[in-house]
Amino acid sequence: MLNQRSGGSAFTDIEDVVLFVKWLNDDLSYLVDERAVLKHFDWPEQKVDALHEAAFGYFYLKKLESEASSFRYDPRQPCGPALKKMQALLEKLEHGVNNISRMREAATNRYKVFQIPVHWMLCKIKI
């Protein structure tokens, strides 16, 4: 999964990034100055920021995917409210995908520098 010395972690799967960020946040949450601890152990702050960003982006994309795939039309529901519900979901999906698409190029380059998987952004978002 990764090498944790000196911020030299290399991840092969975005799920590993999510687990690592959770572990990192849990272990550092009780500290007053997370940045000072990272500096002490020679962990680059930019890498931690990129890990947080990647984990959040992936989690957000999975949440959108789950919401879209769990949507069910109820034929007993009146047409007007059903259409409003569908439109709200479509707008939420469109907004989320557009946000990730806008930051994809810069994020992809930054993630590659820090050896954070990017395939999840490239294959999930089809515009």
Side-chain angles (χ1 to χ4, degrees), residues 60-61 64 87-103 125 127:
Y60 182 70
L61 199 56
L64 287 176
Q87 182 178 6
L89 177 60
L90 178 62
E91 287 172 1
K92 185 175 184 178
L93 294 171
E94 200 172 55
H95 179 73
V97 170
N98 284 338
N99 283 343
I100 291 174
S101 293
R102 276 195 307 272
M103 54 79 77
I125 302 174
I127 305 258

Side-chain angles (χ1 to χ4, degrees), residues 39-53:
K39 283 181 184 179
H40 174 75
F41 288 104
D42 196 27
W43 253 84
E45 291 179 50
Q46 296 87 1
K47 182 166 189 167
V48 173
D49 292 340
L51 287 166
H52 277 107
E53 182 183 295

Side-chain angles (χ1 to χ4, degrees), residues 100-119:
I100 291 174
S101 293
R102 276 195 307 272
M103 54 79 77
R104 178 174 49 191
E105 186 175 332
T108 299
N109 294 334
R110 190 171 58 258
Y111 296 170
K112 284 181 180 178
V113 166
F114 292 122
Q115 299 177 313
I116 300 170
V118 297
H119 66 280

